[in-house]
Amino acid sequence: MSAAPILVTGATGRLGQIVVKRLIALDQPVRIFTRRPETARSLFGPAARIAVGEFADGASLAAAIRDAGRLLLLSPIGETLAADQIAVANAAAAAGLHRVVKISGSDWTIEPPGSSISGDAHAAVERHLRSLPVEHVSLRPNAWMQVSLANTIRQVLAGNPVAAANPDAGVGYIDARDIADVAVHELLADGIAGETLNLTGPDVVTPRQIAGLLSIALKRPVDVAERPPAGASPHGDFEQRAVAQFATLIAAGRAATTTDVVASLLGRAPRGVETFISEHLAAEAALAR
Ligand SMILES: NC(=O)c1ccc[n+]([C@@H]2O[C@H](COP(=O)([O-])OP(=O)(O)OC[C@H]3O[C@@H](n4cnc5c(N)ncnc54)[C@H](OP(=O)(O)O)[C@@H]3O)[C@@H](O)[C@H]2O)c1
């Protein structure tokens, strides 16, 4: 066990929870930064230390980071993403932290610049990290199975078709558990594997193929519906506008990429879509019993 705690922001969220549970299972000292200590306590029990605070409160950040060794930098998509993460990174540099592992946006949302408002915000944080005297790695995961693919499965279970702007535009979906495994790897390894790592699952899968896989798993026909991407409402918040941009980029085939980064770092293949679908359906069936 390394003596200095690993500070995790976004710890109570979708990905952060998986990372924290893995670190605790590895007997690593973890400190989580949260506005909701009761939720954190019920999620993680006494094994995780809790630092109550929020990104906009610099004093709470400084207190949380004091004497920490490494940082998992994670925050939700929103208007304040860049400012929040830059504030955490500055506090980390001021405290002399050894390493920052940042969860960034998908590569295709960041490159080329101007592709999406969320990607531009992540790019600003990545640039800022490069200017600080702190070892850092930015993980750029492709779309997560637990978010968009899980939503597709929910829609199909509710009797709806697989809806997509382009049914033949694939996505190199990644399982969030693999992102967590890579994040833990990069937090604990002797050195980082690179400044920017593009993480994907093993295969590019199209909405039409997902309908086929669901049809086999559910033993019934599953239709595909071609729907133009819903344009972002001018009144939509930052996340809604970003998600509308993602839909357009995906329809143009920009998420149809795979890399071998997960396999080369973890020494095993990343989890695939078929496994995710069968696990997800089994979990839904167990809930319904
Ligand atoms: N979904 C995808 O396909 C995908 C793909 C690539 C990259 N990403 C990136 O993944 C990130 C989102 O991860 P996620 O879905 O796991 O996040 P999430 O579930 O939305 O988690 C939100 C977390 O942020 C914390 N938080 C929010 N506002 C805060 C504040 N003001 N001060 C302190 N903590 C605050 C919350 O903590 P408390 O409520 O406990 O305080 C919670 O733990 C984004 O940066 C996104 O760009 C997502």
Side-chain angles (χ1 to χ4, degrees):
M1 178 188 286
S2 73
I6 298 168
L7 182 70
V8 180
T9 68
T12 59
R14 281 176 285 230
L15 178 61
Q17 284 187 39
I18 311 175
V19 174
V20 170
K21 286 176 181 167
R22 275 160 166 61
L23 289 170
I24 290 172
L26 290 169
D27 209 17
Q28 292 293 321
V30 187
R31 183 184 295 156
I32 70 172
F33 186 66
T34 179
R35 300 161 300 177
R36 299 180 296 152
E38 302 79 18
T39 304
R41 184 60 67 216
S42 70
L43 282 170
F44 307 122
R49 295 293 173 89
I50 294 172
V52 180
E54 70 166 284
F55 298 130
D57 175 359
S60 70
L61 265 180
I65 278 176
R66 193 172 306 130
D67 77 17
R70 295 174 188 207
L71 165 71
L72 182 84
L73 178 55
L74 167 61
S75 74
I77 291 178
E79 205 81 55
T80 61
L81 185 149
D84 289 344
Q85 294 199 5
I86 285 171
V88 182
N90 285 341
L97 239 71
H98 302 309
R99 183 179 301 169
V100 177
V101 176
K102 166 175 162 52
I103 304 299
S104 204
S106 304
D107 187 60
W108 47 271
T109 69
I110 297 176
E111 308 288 357
S115 292
S116 72
I117 50 175
S118 155
D120 287 351
H122 279 300
V125 180
E126 291 188 7
R127 261 195 316 277
H128 191 75
L129 282 170
R130 279 181 220 119
S131 75
L132 296 175
V134 180
E135 184 181 47
H136 62 275
V137 53
S138 294
L139 307 183
R140 295 183 176 181
N142 207 329
W144 307 358
M145 296 181 196
Q146 280 78 356
V147 179
S148 39
L149 183 54
N151 187 45
T152 299
I153 299 172
R154 257 193 306 277
Q155 289 296 324
V156 168
L157 290 176
N160 297 311
V162 172
N166 179 355
D168 299 305
V171 177
Y173 285 113
I174 184 163
D175 191 310
R177 293 170 293 183
D178 288 331
I179 308 171
D181 286 341
V182 171
V184 168
H185 181 276
E186 292 300 289
L187 284 166
L188 302 183
D190 289 340
I192 53 167
E195 198 175 85
T196 304
L197 300 177
N198 294 345
L199 311 180
T200 73
D203 305 304
V204 169
V205 185
T206 67
R208 211 179 290 286
Q209 290 169 323
I210 289 167
L213 291 170
L214 285 170
S215 176
I216 292 167
L218 296 169
K219 299 186 176 64
R220 65 169 171 85
V222 173
D223 291 335
V224 178
E226 191 168 330
R227 298 208 179 122
S233 153
H235 308 296
D237 67 14
F238 186 96
E239 186 177 9
Q240 288 165 335
R241 285 181 282 137
V243 168
Q245 290 174 328
F246 299 161
T248 302
L249 292 167
I250 287 172
R254 295 273 298 278
T257 55
T258 59
T259 68
D260 63 359
V261 175
V262 172
S264 67
L265 287 177
L266 302 181
R268 61 161 178 82
R271 296 163 173 93
V273 160
E274 279 188 69
T275 306
F276 180 82
I277 287 176
S278 60
E279 286 179 2
H280 194 94
L281 292 177
E284 291 285 337
L287 275 179
R289 275 202 286 272

